[in-house]
Amino acid sequence: MKLSRPARRASLVVHVAASAGWLGLTLGLLALGITATTTGSAVTVEASVRAMKLFADWLLLPLAFLTLLSGLVLSLGTPWGLAKHRWVCTKFWLTLATTTATVFALRPGVNSAVSAVAAGGPLPDAGDVLFGPVVSLSAYLFMTVLSVLKPWGLTRRGRNLRTSARTPAGSVPRDAGQMSATRSR
């Protein structure tokens, strides 16, 4: 499947906007988490964790899924491919991992912090509101670097596809001919 130029451009805009939104939202969550853990005011702690819950419940997952989906569309609809380049594979698996961590770790941690603070208690564990945003922000910054630098080259599958695309149908690849000549000696 190959995307037309307008579809590819539209998908790229959606992917970059969703990724940038996810990165910015995570930076905001980190700021709120730092505020919640460093302030001495119970009112400020409660406001911070409630804001984190609002962002986590309404914005985080839609941006995560939009980033994942638009990245899949781009990788499958462009020459980059999903499994041809190491940096694309790495970004895909990191996006999948951070989306999963958002569902199973970050949101439950924020929800438990809100429950404890709303009941009049102190913030139970600073890690509940800090660990998720720190790890996520690190992963998103790393993925941004990968998108810009595109390091590491082709995967084995990508090298095989490139070799088969360069070899005319019905002919023996150059390396294979050399290997058979070497064997017959």
Side-chain angles (χ1 to χ4, degrees):
M1 173 180 86
K2 184 175 179 187
L3 294 173
S4 67
R5 185 175 181 169
R8 181 180 48 81
R9 286 182 166 186
S11 298
L12 183 60
V13 167
V14 168
H15 184 67
V16 169
S19 300
W22 199 12
L23 178 72
L25 181 59
T26 302
L27 191 58
L29 288 170
L30 181 59
L32 289 167
I34 290 170
T35 301
T37 58
T38 59
T39 187
S41 168
V43 173
T44 305
V45 171
E46 185 172 358
S48 295
V49 295
R50 284 187 184 275
M52 288 181 78
K53 180 172 175 31
L54 179 71
F55 290 156
D57 287 349
W58 291 98
L59 297 174
L60 209 53
L61 286 179
L63 284 173
F65 287 125
L66 187 58
T67 300
L68 184 63
L69 180 64
S70 61
L72 273 173
V73 167
L74 281 169
S75 66
L76 296 173
T78 64
W80 289 111
L82 183 60
K84 291 181 186 178
H85 295 82
R86 289 186 182 115
W87 69 272
V88 177
C89 287
T90 303
K91 277 188 62 178
F92 170 74
W93 289 110
L94 277 174
T95 303
L96 194 60
T98 53
T99 301
T100 303
T102 296
V103 171
F104 294 110
L106 190 140
R107 289 183 70 219
V110 169
N111 288 338
S112 71
V114 169
S115 297
V117 171
L123 190 62
D125 183 14
D128 287 345
V129 295
L130 286 178
F131 185 69
V134 167
V135 171
S136 296
L137 186 61
S138 300
Y140 307 148
L141 289 174
F142 180 66
M143 287 187 274
T144 301
V145 169
L146 292 180
S147 295
V148 172
L149 300 181
K150 298 173 179 46
W152 306 324
L154 296 170
T155 61
R156 181 180 304 205
R157 182 177 189 274
R159 285 190 304 272
N160 290 341
L161 288 172
R162 182 173 283 174
T163 301
S164 66
R166 289 182 182 164
T167 306
S171 69
V172 176
R174 193 172 130 202
D175 292 343
Q178 289 174 348
M179 289 177 66
S180 64
T182 305
R183 284 187 206 144
S184 63
R185 290 183 192 169

